[in-house]
Amino acid sequence: MTDILRRALAALLLAACAAAATAQEAPPASAGQTLYLPIYSDLWHGDLGSRNLPDKTALSALVSIRNTDPAQPIRILSARYHASQGRLLRDFVPKPRSLPPLGTLELFIERAESAGGTGASFLIRWQAERPVNPPVVEAVHADLRTPRTGSFITVARPVRPAE
């Protein structure tokens, strides 16, 4: 395959991915949800070592709860942080908090926090007085120490609340 053809195919693939990403439909309006957000307090990587375990790197996580509605506030009812085994570690929003239109609430899990583990998660509950654009909830995980750095994002998804 020629270099020009390879570049053309790469450009076409990039354009198709960009079109697919921008063609998303807006989610339906909602008056409230429970959202599940995966969190990685640490990340396994590399090869199995002498203890038959891979290397582990501690990560910090910045949780961003963004009210995407340009006209209506939402209320964050709770943001409960759970360990890999499901045990509640902390409620970051012990009292409901109002989030103004287009406002953001940030929660931070420091790198030194290891109790969550690789399967940690948040359950975030929110509500509004009337149906609004649902919030965007993401976590940016990072280890920015040299000589190597890394970061990635996890995205919340709606789940059925506990009965």
Side-chain angles (χ1 to χ4, degrees), residues 11-96:
L12 184 60
L13 180 61
L14 184 61
C17 290
T22 58
Q24 292 181 0
E25 290 185 29
S30 177
Q33 295 173 309
T34 298
L35 302 171
Y36 175 86
L37 178 65
I39 298 292
Y40 295 84
S41 291
D42 43 56
L43 185 64
W44 296 97
H45 60 89
D47 298 319
L48 297 178
S50 60
R51 297 180 323 183
N52 206 28
L53 294 172
D55 292 332
K56 182 167 66 169
T57 297
L59 302 170
S60 61
L62 173 63
V63 175
S64 180
I65 304 170
R66 297 171 182 256
N67 181 359
T68 64
D69 199 280
Q72 298 298 317
I74 62 172
R75 287 174 22 112
I76 308 303
L77 303 177
S78 62
R80 294 188 173 120
Y81 180 53
H82 297 265
S84 295
Q85 300 76 22
R87 181 174 45 94
L88 177 65
L89 295 174
R90 177 177 170 195
D91 190 347
F92 277 75
V93 182
K95 295 185 301 189

Side-chain angles (χ1 to χ4, degrees), residues 129-142:
E129 289 185 17
R130 59 177 162 274
V132 297
N133 293 327
V136 168
V137 179
E138 301 171 320
V140 179
H141 302 78

